[in-house]
Amino acid sequence: MKKKALITGITGQDGAYLAEFLLKKGYEVHGMKRRSSLFNTDRIDHLYQDPHAEDLKLILHYGDLTDSMNITRLIQEVQPDEIYNLAAMSHVHVSFQTPEYVGNADGLGTLRILEAVRLLGLTHKTRIYQASTSELYGLVQEVPQSEKTPFYPRSPYAVAKLYAYWITVNYREAYQMHASNGILFNHESPVRGETFVTRKVTRALSRVALGMQDKFYMGNLSSQRDWGHAKDYIKAMYLILQQDTPSDYVIATGITTAIRDFIKMAAQEIGITIEFKGNGVDEKGYITAVDKAVFIQKVGEKYLPQIQDRISNDAEVVCVDPHYFRPTEVDLLIGNPTKSRTVLGWEPEYDLKALIEDMMRSDIKLFKRDDYLKEGGFTIMNYFE
């Protein structure tokens, strides 16, 4: 019989990639998504099957991590071999504004899953993957961070995830459950949420290149993160649940990059050179040069004149807005993936340059579509954050 997997947060970046990955491996995939008056399944639309079809391999269920009865009923109905708990309110900055909800969903939500598996007598059948986060390290106690590095969370999101991490460990030890934590460092992709910093950068730079936006605003440009591709990281999730013994793993590249440098690399991918001047809230980024051949190849010749005008006018393209600063900042994250590479045999296929290339190519294509619609007389909405 084919394995059954239940993915909470299936409509998110990781859930969508993981669902596609497991379907290719022959799994029957069940996904939990929150009820909305709008369709919010864009990332998995290419996997969607008509629920009236026979031999369904992807089945969606309404659910919410704040509803214990719903979670228990869903697990009882599906009887999953594997649960991947990827659902969360995962925007760190927003967690300062919704701390109670984050604690309920991200922290207690994990407990509800673990307790449902225990109460339903599935402790020896169902393996559980808990999506932990590098934000647990917060005010880092050592560099790089490994499975043995002490945690020091610096946001309501990270504190909620700290509870989820330790309750997973506790249920593993108390009830001999196959429950593991994946401490994933930042992982991005072309379907990353629009308000997360990397996608915000690639979207904004694409719009700037196409003449649809003049500039964009950022928070702390000096923050450093360990960035990988989500396609690599979901493979690590799968490998974690295939191990005979449950454990906790850091999934990371072992390389850290400042946000300022990520912006430069993303711009360089389409032939644009950005230089930064000033310090703190007065720091600004300017387009200082353009590689015509690269820009024409990656963006298009029709968009070149307006970029050249930006250089001659010395107009800023990146500015700092203190609104985006966190009350407690996390300045440096860099993971030590030794355990995941030696025990799991996990090796990422994408480096940061390949990740940026993938994201910029996708967003240029996305906003060219908007540009064509605009030329056709349609109204195009602008979203800035």
Side-chain angles (χ1 to χ4, degrees):
M1 294 180 63
K2 66 178 66 175
K3 282 187 175 182
K4 291 183 180 180
L6 172 61
I7 303 174
T8 69
I10 193 171
T11 58
Q13 169 190 253
D14 293 2
Y17 281 128
L18 180 62
E20 184 172 21
F21 179 80
L22 294 178
L23 286 169
K24 289 179 180 178
K25 287 192 169 293
Y27 278 66
E28 177 179 299
V29 176
H30 293 257
M32 189 181 86
K33 73 184 204 71
R34 287 175 297 171
R35 170 76 178 105
S36 171
S37 59
L38 302 174
F39 289 119
N40 60 345
T41 58
D42 292 4
R43 295 184 178 101
I44 57 171
D45 282 348
H46 65 294
L47 305 173
Y48 183 75
Q49 292 177 279
D50 188 328
H52 305 99
E54 296 181 1
D55 191 28
L56 288 176
K57 296 179 176 61
L58 176 65
I59 301 100
L60 300 182
H61 308 263
Y62 288 121
D64 195 298
L65 289 180
T66 63
D67 187 339
S68 58
M69 294 183 67
N70 167 264
I71 291 171
T72 304
R73 176 195 57 76
L74 180 55
I75 293 174
Q76 182 180 41
E77 178 183 323
V78 174
Q79 296 282 303
D81 298 289
E82 298 171 3
I83 296 176
Y84 296 87
N85 182 30
L86 310 184
M89 201 308 289
S90 56
H91 197 289
V92 177
H93 184 76
V94 174
S95 76
F96 285 96
Q97 302 169 42
T98 59
E100 182 180 345
Y101 174 77
V102 172
N104 192 2
D106 298 11
L108 292 178
T110 303
L111 171 63
R112 294 180 181 109
I113 291 173
L114 293 163
E115 184 67 356
V117 169
R118 186 184 74 84
L119 290 175
L120 293 170
L122 297 174
T123 54
H124 298 298
K125 170 183 172 62
T126 303
R127 298 184 174 193
I128 302 170
Y129 171 84
Q130 168 58 25
S132 287
T133 170
S134 58
E135 290 287 332
L136 293 173
Y137 297 114
L139 188 61
V140 297
Q141 302 300 292
E142 67 176 2
V143 178
Q145 295 89 53
S146 72
E147 293 82 3
K148 296 181 179 180
T149 302
F151 298 135
Y152 197 132
R154 298 269 282 174
S155 67
Y157 165 72
V159 172
K161 283 289 190 176
L162 183 67
Y163 176 87
Y165 175 93
W166 282 116
I167 201 65
T168 299
V169 173
N170 181 251
Y171 268 64
R172 178 172 73 217
E173 296 175 350
Y175 304 114
Q176 292 72 57
M177 297 175 69
H178 196 297
S180 301
N181 285 288
I183 308 173
L184 271 61
F185 280 63
N186 295 65
H187 47 290
E188 321 298 317
S189 77
V191 296
R192 183 59 146 151
E194 292 92 339
T195 60
F196 289 84
V197 65
T198 53
R199 187 75 196 288
K200 176 178 177 178
V201 168
T202 60
R203 282 171 56 90
L205 283 175
S206 296
R207 289 176 57 85
V208 168
L210 296 170
M212 303 173 70
Q213 183 172 335
D214 292 330
K215 58 186 174 182
F216 57 100
Y217 292 85
M218 302 296 295
N220 184 0
L221 293 171
S222 298
S223 289
Q224 299 178 66
R225 293 294 184 269
D226 184 331
W227 280 300
H229 200 301
K231 285 184 177 180
D232 287 327
Y233 285 48
I234 59 98
K235 294 176 184 176
M237 300 176 189
Y238 168 78
L239 290 171
I240 287 171
L241 289 198
Q242 308 318 305
Q243 304 306 303
D244 292 334
T245 304
S247 189
D248 308 313
Y249 298 86
V250 164
I251 310 299
T253 69
I255 300 171
T256 192
T257 306
I259 292 174
R260 182 186 299 102
D261 293 326
F262 184 95
I263 295 172
K264 290 180 179 180
M265 290 178 67
Q268 200 67 52
E269 175 59 32
I270 54 174
I272 294 174
T273 299
I274 292 180
E275 292 184 6
F276 286 86
K277 301 176 184 178
N279 297 291
V281 296
D282 296 320
E283 186 172 6
K284 290 180 172 61
Y286 300 85
I287 298 176
T288 58
V290 59
D291 185 319
K292 295 179 183 179
V294 173
F295 187 88
I296 290 171
Q297 178 192 359
K298 299 290 182 71
V299 183
E301 188 170 6
K302 66 176 284 190
Y303 304 104
L304 182 60
Q306 63 89 20
I307 284 293
Q308 292 175 317
D309 288 343
R310 299 294 302 274
I311 299 172
S312 60
N313 292 333
D314 198 33
E316 69 266 12
V317 68
V318 184
C319 300
V320 173
D321 184 350
H323 171 76
Y324 297 118
F325 292 169
R326 300 179 187 179
T328 43
E329 187 59 72
V330 175
D331 295 314
L332 170 65
L333 292 175
I334 177 172
N336 179 354
T338 300
K339 181 179 177 181
S340 61
R341 294 189 176 187
T342 55
V343 177
L344 302 178
W346 176 76
E347 289 289 342
E349 296 180 14
Y350 288 80
D351 61 11
L352 182 57
K353 185 179 186 307
L355 166 64
I356 290 173
E357 180 183 2
D358 194 21
M359 295 180 70
M360 287 301 299
R361 181 174 58 244
S362 176
D363 278 336
I364 288 289
K365 182 178 179 180
L366 173 67
F367 287 108
K368 273 189 175 181
R369 181 196 65 183
D370 280 5
D371 189 45
Y372 295 151
L373 289 172
K374 186 177 181 181
E375 288 182 353
F378 293 91
T379 300
I380 302 302
M381 300 301 295
N382 291 328
Y383 298 97
F384 302 110
E385 179 166 345

